[in-house]
């Protein structure tokens, strides 16, 4: 549950770093869901015309890449009302700061019984060493029932430097999830999350509105940091020595079902580096991996 | 002449050893469902070497490979590929 000002708490931010996503069931009120569902067919037609048929649709207003988020959709439209919700704004501000810019959006619509499914993939480009990241909001304005083919994704994969379609070879990975949930649910993904749209074996059409946002400011300490000091641990918080269980590091230690080998420790290093970036805390660590290297006499940063 | 087809099972493991735990898998069926079914379970085998004992033939194992760049992670490094050759209609 986000803080009273709608920004994320320290624990939620840490969970985002560990999992690569946050989920908010039924976040968007039904009135806005209905308005969005009325708008989406036109947006779907524009997106498909642009992307699949290379036919521009100037009759359907679509924001230009780089537009400040607040200027993308008129406030009276369904999408404008959704994106202006204080709850949605608080999540966005916590992760990419105020006034992010529009990268692109897309409407995924699958008719009942539609057989096509995507291979697992990453939305390019992620093979960079920089910690900055985009977010992608996956908003489901209508309910998706279990077995309805909602988005498949693999928690914890977001910090792996995989090329976009290298991961398409995996039909199944331990710990993968397939979305189902009530109308108005929003999944917030780090842009590196491995995911795939799935076939729709149900007898109900499925709608997803996705928007990718780029930060326009430094992303550090944008969440509600009121509880950060209490959850911060020193570098001696170490699972092989003395460990605390009430800290950000404890959340970042989360081990996903596919993380059975020692590569998990490299995943922890990546999470620690991302938390250093987000918290502006250059000495933060998880289980001594970075500190062990950095404290050696003669270390050159 | 018999109509033989390949069924291929990809298993990715947590470590380089064939008896390490399976963390990901894919199955491709050259019989289009007219041969033996895919092994059940998620994952189909707890460790890759269990596929050998169930009649699969190993056709590719991960080599030493290049050491990744310092602290880098990516897609899964340890891929074992198995096959069985069947005749469509053989449901055994």
């Amino acid at each position: 549950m986000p803080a009273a000002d709608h920004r994320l708490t320290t624990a939620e931010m840490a969970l985002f770093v560990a999992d690569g996503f946050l989920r908010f069931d039924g976040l968007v009120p039904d009135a806005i869901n209905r308005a969005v569902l009325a708008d989406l067919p036109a947006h779907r037609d524009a997106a498909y015309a642009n992307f699949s048929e290379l036919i521009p649709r100037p009759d359907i207003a679509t924001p230009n890449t780089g537009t400040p988020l607040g200027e993308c959709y008129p406030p009276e439209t369904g999408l404008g009302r959704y994106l202006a919700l204080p709850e949605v704004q608080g999540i966005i501000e916590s992760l990419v700061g105020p006034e992010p810019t529009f990268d692109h959006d897309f409407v995924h619509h699958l008719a009942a019984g539609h057989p096509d499914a995507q291979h697992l993939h990453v939305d390019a480009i992620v093979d960079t060493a920089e910690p900055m990241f985009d977010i992608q909001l996956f908003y489901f304005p209508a309910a998706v029932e279990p077995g309805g083919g909602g988005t498949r994704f693999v928690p914890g994969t977001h910090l792996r430097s995989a090329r976009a379609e290298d991961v398409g070879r995996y039909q199944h990975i331990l710990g993968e999830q397939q979305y189902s949930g009530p109308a108005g649910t929003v999944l917030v993904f780090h842009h590196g999350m491995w995911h795939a749209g799935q076939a729709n074996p149900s007898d109900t059409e499925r709608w997803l509105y996705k928007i990718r946002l780029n930060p326009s400011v430094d992303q550090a300490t944008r969440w509600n940091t009121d509880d950060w000091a209490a959850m911060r641990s020193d570098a001696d918080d170490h699972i092989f020595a003395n460990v605390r269980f009430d800290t950000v590091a404890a959340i970042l230690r989360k081990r996903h079902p596919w993380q059975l080998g020692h590569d998990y420790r490299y995943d922890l290093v990546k999470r620690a580096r991302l938390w250093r970036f987000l918290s502006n805390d250059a000495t933060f660590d998880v289980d001594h991996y970075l500190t062990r290297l950095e404290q050696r006499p003669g270390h050159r940063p | 002449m018999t109509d033989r087809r390949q069924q291929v099972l990809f298993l990715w493991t947590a470590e380089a050893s064939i008896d390490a735990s399976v963390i990901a898998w894919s199955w491709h069926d050259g019989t289009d469902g007219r041969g033996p079914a895919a092994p059940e379970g998620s994952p189909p085998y707890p460790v890759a070497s269990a596929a050998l004992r169930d009649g699969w033939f190993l056709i590719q194992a991960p080599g030493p490979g290049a050491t990744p760049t310092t602290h880098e992670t990516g897609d899964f490094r340890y891929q074992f590929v198995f096959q069985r050759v069947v005749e469509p209609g053989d449901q055994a």
Side-chain angles (χ1 to χ4, degrees):
Chain A
M1 178 66 72
D5 64 1
H6 300 298
R7 287 183 297 164
L8 299 174
T9 64
T10 299
E12 287 171 321
M13 285 296 291
L15 199 59
F16 179 84
V17 171
D19 288 349
F21 80 103
L22 292 168
R23 173 176 172 148
F24 301 93
D25 278 30
L27 182 71
V28 182
D30 279 344
I32 297 179
N33 292 331
R34 288 194 294 272
V36 168
L37 284 168
D39 288 348
L40 285 189
H43 289 281
R44 172 202 58 195
D45 293 346
Y48 282 41
N50 282 337
F51 183 74
S52 301
E53 301 165 23
L54 303 180
I55 301 170
R57 289 289 301 271
D59 56 312
I60 302 172
T62 300
N64 286 327
T65 295
T67 302
L69 177 61
E71 300 172 16
C72 285
Y73 291 105
E76 69 278 10
T77 62
L79 288 176
R81 293 164 66 192
Y82 155 59
L83 292 167
L85 276 174
E87 294 86 350
V88 174
Q89 287 284 311
I91 294 165
I92 292 172
E93 180 174 342
S94 299
L95 293 165
V96 291
E99 282 304 315
T101 53
F102 175 89
D103 185 305
H104 71 284
D105 58 9
F106 205 88
V107 178
H108 291 270
H109 172 230
L110 266 78
H114 198 289
D116 289 353
Q118 296 175 329
H119 289 155
L120 200 63
H121 65 279
V122 189
D123 288 343
I125 291 176
V126 300
D127 47 342
T128 168
E130 295 174 334
M132 296 83 81
F133 59 91
D134 298 339
I135 56 171
Q136 301 205 103
L137 275 63
F138 285 52
Y139 162 40
F140 298 87
V144 178
E145 299 299 326
T151 306
R152 180 167 69 103
F153 59 100
V154 189
T157 52
H158 55 298
L159 299 180
R160 295 210 150 215
S161 297
R163 288 294 177 96
E165 285 162 339
D166 276 358
V167 300
R169 63 184 64 137
Y170 311 122
Q171 290 176 347
H172 298 286
I173 297 176
L174 288 181
E176 66 190 2
Q177 295 187 21
Q178 190 162 2
Y179 171 75
S180 63
T185 296
V186 178
L187 298 179
V188 185
F189 282 177
H190 183 288
H191 72 251
M193 175 69 78
W194 300 3
H195 68 281
Q198 298 294 276
N200 182 4
S202 76
D203 56 6
T204 306
E205 64 179 351
R206 195 174 78 230
W207 291 96
L208 161 63
Y209 172 75
K210 183 183 87 170
I211 185 169
R212 181 167 180 158
L213 300 174
N214 308 146
S216 65
V217 296
D218 189 322
Q219 289 165 271
T221 62
R222 298 291 178 179
W223 79 94
N224 186 319
T225 57
D226 290 352
D227 53 352
W228 162 223
M231 295 185 68
R232 185 190 181 283
S233 53
D234 292 324
D236 61 359
D237 176 11
H238 185 191
I239 198 161
F240 290 108
N242 291 306
V243 65
R244 288 176 55 185
F245 298 101
D246 57 350
T247 62
V248 165
I251 296 172
L252 297 191
R253 286 190 193 99
K254 183 174 183 178
R255 192 167 194 145
H256 294 285
W258 57 269
Q259 292 175 311
L260 294 177
H262 285 183
D263 251 18
Y264 161 70
R265 298 174 183 178
Y266 293 89
D267 293 317
L268 292 187
V269 166
K270 287 199 153 186
R271 294 176 191 170
R273 284 181 166 159
L274 180 51
W275 192 261
R276 283 182 175 190
F277 166 71
L278 285 170
S279 64
N280 272 334
D281 183 348
T283 62
F284 177 82
D285 205 356
V286 180
D287 293 337
H288 201 50
Y289 291 115
L290 291 168
T291 309
R292 181 185 290 125
L293 304 176
E294 293 164 349
Q295 72 178 6
R296 287 177 176 147
H299 170 72
R300 305 287 188 273
Chain B
M1 184 171 177
T2 58
D3 179 21
R4 298 193 305 164
R5 303 290 176 88
Q6 224 181 0
Q7 293 183 318
V8 182
L9 180 66
F10 288 73
L11 299 177
W12 289 271
T13 54
E15 303 170 34
S17 171
I18 193 172
D19 59 1
S21 297
V22 174
I23 59 172
W25 62 99
S26 294
W27 145 265
H28 300 278
D29 182 7
T31 75
D32 290 326
R34 291 176 295 131
E40 294 182 355
S42 300
Y45 300 103
V47 296
S49 55
L52 297 175
R53 292 189 283 277
D54 200 31
W56 291 88
F57 286 78
L58 179 69
I59 60 173
Q60 187 220 320
T67 301
T69 307
T70 304
H71 298 166
E72 197 48 89
T73 59
D75 47 2
F76 302 143
R77 300 176 64 201
Y78 310 124
Q79 171 180 288
F80 294 88
V81 186
F82 299 86
Q83 74 161 355
R84 59 188 181 194
V85 178
V86 301
E87 294 185 19
D90 177 5
Q91 300 294 324

